[in-house]
Amino acid sequence: WEALEKIMVGQNFNLTVNYKNDTLSKIEQIVLAPTLPNDLAIVSNNAILKDGSWVLENVEPRQSGQIQLTGFLRSKPTSGSAALTLQAFLANGKEKYLQTSLIKYLTVVDNGLNLSANLAGDKTYLKPSEEATMEIHYQNKTGQTLKNINFNLNLPTTLQAAKSQLTKKEILPEETGIVEFKIKLSENFDAGAITAAGLALRPFVSFYLADKPTELLRSFTPTLNIKIASQIKLHAEARYFTAEGDQLGRGPIPPKVGQVTKYWINWFVTTAPNSIKNVTLLGHLPDGVMWTNKTNVAEGESIKFDPVTRSISWQSDRLEATPSNRCPCAGIGFEVAITPANDDAGKILTLLNQLSIQATDDATGEELKEFSPNITTDLIKDDLANGKGVVQ
């Protein structure tokens, strides 16, 4: 290894690995496996790391070369030093034979610009299309005036901002201050790409010291995890056949006046990025729709039917987050029946209405409520029965 013995946070530095084939034979493959410092950002290099290693092919006798890397550290290690290790292997197919191991320590010092970031006010999480203020607090402990300062939010695509960069001409020694950005969570964000910990943000500032006007420095805030309110969905469908073609329903389809037709109704719940608790699903049977008392519940409480209010309910203490907000997900099912009257001929009948879900976001504590469209005899999710919903 070749590197400076002492480096500064946010300052570009060079790492060089010198190698030489000291044998009289060509070496078909050499694998160099480095352990690079935590929080290292690579700016440029002349050899790509593949699966964590540099691979050299067909190194001729007495051939020498260099692997060069330029990067910077986003933060100072707790110990104050960064360790570089390197193992060199001769490779033969899947077999690797260790040749040498190297270790080098770099002393790392702060650059003097201290940063932190937070959401303004009492806000602890974001919801789609809701605007919030991101504050970046700075403190200049360099002992010098800072020049050409650029504050950068470094946002993921999930977040939007009217301005993602703000500039200041200078920051005086010992000056403290706050820079504010307006941010907003995209309305159609990909909930599946967000963990329960939320979005990890790490704004940074680039700047120059007055006595080194051409040497770029950078400071990063500690990682800020912003929780995202969970998005829940109640997916409801009526079926006469399963997706595989097995018959669930009974009776004529299309339904016929004076004859009983039975349908199976499925409810599915998705939630992302967080788990939810105190979950209640509600629905209502219109007049003329009969409850057959056949149900299918894999988790949570039993499905309840109140014959007085004609309401259907199901509860669960907790439902885990659904990856990508798509099924497989929590689901329940139950059977209903209709006997169309003469006045129903030529109509599509409603099997279930007033569908809703209520729950509490496990991560943010927010009370959530969503609704789902009515379910009718027009079985739009059933490929085999679709278009057979009009009473004959």
Side-chain angles (χ1 to χ4, degrees):
W1 283 113
E2 284 184 6
L4 294 174
E5 297 294 331
K6 186 175 183 179
I7 60 175
M8 185 181 292
V9 171
Q11 179 185 42
N12 283 358
F13 66 97
N14 298 320
L15 295 176
T16 302
V17 177
N18 297 295
Y19 64 87
K20 181 181 180 181
N21 178 5
D22 277 332
T23 74
L24 298 178
S25 303
K26 180 170 71 174
I27 301 176
E28 292 186 0
Q29 190 177 79
I30 300 171
V31 176
L32 302 177
T35 301
L36 299 172
N38 292 330
D39 228 3
L40 172 70
I42 297 176
V43 176
S44 64
N45 57 76
N46 68 346
I48 303 299
L49 280 168
K50 183 179 180 181
D51 297 327
S53 298
W54 291 301
V55 179
L56 309 176
E57 306 278 0
N58 299 317
V59 182
E60 298 292 339
R62 304 302 181 184
Q63 178 183 341
S64 62
Q66 291 184 329
I67 294 174
Q68 297 175 328
L69 181 152
T70 300
F72 62 89
L73 291 180
R74 298 182 183 91
S75 62
K76 177 183 175 181
T78 304
S79 63
S81 65
L84 302 171
T85 66
L86 184 73
Q87 290 183 305
F89 300 88
L90 291 182
N92 182 11
K94 293 184 178 180
E95 298 295 325
K96 294 192 300 183
Y97 306 95
L98 181 64
Q99 300 300 293
T100 187
S101 296
L102 302 176
I103 188 167
K104 185 177 183 66
Y105 293 96
L106 310 178
T107 300
V108 184
V109 297
D110 287 321
N111 61 34
L113 180 60
N114 301 329
L115 300 176
S116 64
N118 61 269
L119 294 180
D122 297 327
K123 185 169 287 296
T124 58
Y125 61 91
L126 295 178
K127 296 192 292 186
S129 301
E130 183 180 62
E131 190 175 72
T133 300
M134 168 77 74
E135 295 180 342
I136 299 179
H137 301 252
Y138 65 86
Q139 182 182 33
N140 180 10
K141 303 295 290 184
T142 65
Q144 298 188 46
T145 297
L146 310 184
K147 298 288 188 178
N148 300 323
I149 306 102
N150 185 20
F151 291 80
N152 194 311
L153 278 183
N154 200 23
L155 291 179
T157 55
T158 305
L159 287 178
Q160 303 169 340
K163 291 183 178 180
S164 60
Q165 294 183 344
L166 290 173
T167 60
K168 289 176 68 71
K169 289 185 177 180
E170 64 179 22
I171 296 177
L172 300 177
E174 301 301 321
E175 180 181 337
T176 62
I178 301 174
V179 173
E180 295 184 346
F181 291 88
K182 297 295 183 182
I183 63 173
K184 183 186 295 185
L185 180 65
S186 302
E187 183 174 359
N188 297 314
F189 72 96
D190 182 6
I194 301 173
T195 68
L199 279 174
L201 303 184
R202 202 168 183 190
F204 70 93
V205 176
S206 61
F207 62 98
Y208 298 85
L209 296 174
D211 66 345
K212 296 181 179 179
T214 62
E215 187 170 0
L216 178 69
L217 292 175
R218 312 164 186 87
S219 278
F220 285 75
T221 71
T223 300
L224 175 65
N225 289 306
I226 300 180
K227 292 186 180 297
I228 303 299
S230 206
Q231 305 297 294
I232 59 172
K233 294 180 182 178
L234 173 57
H235 311 262
E237 63 181 24
R239 284 188 168 272
Y240 195 88
F241 298 97
T242 67
E244 294 74 28
D246 297 326
Q247 185 173 333
L248 293 170
R250 295 292 183 267
I253 184 170
K256 293 183 178 181
V257 171
Q259 298 186 39
V260 177
T261 299
K262 296 179 179 179
Y263 299 90
W264 196 262
I265 293 178
N266 295 317
W267 283 348
F268 301 101
V269 178
T270 56
T271 172
N274 312 319
S275 302
I276 52 178
K277 58 186 179 182
N278 305 325
V279 183
T280 300
L281 271 59
L282 296 172
H284 176 265
L285 291 186
D287 292 338
V289 181
M290 294 170 284
W291 175 256
T292 70
N293 207 34
K294 289 184 178 179
T295 63
N296 181 17
V297 179
E299 58 183 295
E301 299 182 2
S302 300
I303 301 173
K304 297 177 182 178
F305 174 66
D306 186 332
V308 177
T309 62
R310 301 188 58 77
S311 64
I312 299 171
S313 63
W314 174 79
Q315 294 181 325
S316 177
D317 291 337
R318 179 183 175 86
L319 293 179
E320 297 299 327
T322 315
S324 300
N325 210 13
R326 297 182 180 91
C327 290
C329 48
I332 61 172
F334 53 91
E335 187 186 65
V336 297
I338 59 169
T339 305
N342 289 330
D343 292 344
D344 295 326
K347 298 178 181 178
I348 292 175
L349 303 184
T350 298
L351 298 175
L352 189 68
N353 57 22
Q354 301 176 28
L355 284 75
S356 67
I357 178 173
Q358 302 174 34
T360 303
D361 191 324
D362 205 27
T364 67
E366 183 182 17
E367 297 300 321
L368 306 171
K369 188 169 186 177
E370 290 293 326
F371 300 89
S372 186
N374 294 345
I375 295 177
T376 71
T377 54
D378 185 17
L379 309 184
I380 58 177
K381 298 292 183 66
D382 190 330
D383 292 338
L384 296 177
N386 190 4
K388 300 177 181 180
V390 179
V391 176
Q392 296 183 346

